[in-house]
Amino acid sequence: MFSRKSTAERTAAEAWDYLSSAMASAGESAKDAGKITAGLAGAKAAELAGKASKSGNKLAGKASRQSQKLAGKAGARMNAATEEAWNRAHLAANALAGRKPGLPWSLILGASLVGVALGWAAATTVRAAAERRAENEQLELAETAIVVTPTYDN
């Protein structure tokens, strides 16, 4: 009949079920994509190897390198997509569990180091300018100084 759960609890439970099924299907999709990619790369390699056997060893090496490149590119794309899907799924799971994301300490530390470097550069520049100003004032005083020598009457 009627459930005693509140609307928020029902919504959270539905979201959790949806997230769980989405994570499972994402894993299955990633596996299927990997199998398809490997199959296509293998078929392309076999096709190129067949052509290479007619043309000689030179083309066999080229076919091998090309199939490795294709497999590497496909693997990299799949890994990037899979990693992004897992990251998003974990963020969603943490949000549903009520956990807040952590602070980006590397970004905070980097900004602090940049601030320290800029402050040091500004302080050094101001200090050098003050020293130059003092030297210029000393030279100006030396140029305009009147030397008074006492005279002695004998």
Side-chain angles (χ1 to χ4, degrees):
M1 290 233 228
F2 292 106
S3 174
R4 291 187 176 211
K5 290 183 179 179
S6 69
T7 305
E9 289 175 336
R10 281 194 308 269
T11 303
E14 288 174 10
W16 184 258
D17 292 340
Y18 178 73
L19 177 65
S20 298
S21 67
M23 288 177 76
S25 67
E28 291 299 319
S29 296
K31 284 183 194 175
D32 293 343
K35 289 177 184 177
I36 291 170
T37 303
L40 290 175
K44 185 68 173 178
E47 177 186 329
L48 291 173
K51 289 180 182 178
S53 66
K54 295 177 185 175
S55 301
N57 288 335
K58 184 177 180 181
L59 288 177
K62 184 178 180 181
S64 176
R65 286 188 301 273
Q66 189 172 4
S67 65
Q68 289 173 354
K69 285 181 186 177
L70 287 173
K73 286 180 182 178
R77 286 183 184 161
M78 186 185 77
N79 286 341
T82 302
E83 187 174 331
E84 178 67 22
W86 277 111
N87 286 339
R88 287 181 182 215
H90 285 292
L91 288 173
N94 287 340
L96 281 174
R99 291 186 289 269
K100 293 182 180 178
L103 290 174
W105 288 109
S106 58
L107 184 63
I108 293 169
L109 180 63
S112 299
L113 290 175
V114 168
V116 167
L118 289 175
W120 177 79
T124 302
T125 304
V126 168
R127 190 174 317 133
E131 288 175 3
R132 266 184 272 134
R133 185 179 312 134
E135 287 175 5
N136 287 339
E137 288 176 1
Q138 279 294 100
L139 287 174
E140 189 176 314
L141 284 175
E143 289 175 357
T144 60
I146 299 174
V147 178
V148 177
T149 55
T151 58
Y152 295 107
D153 291 329
N154 279 359

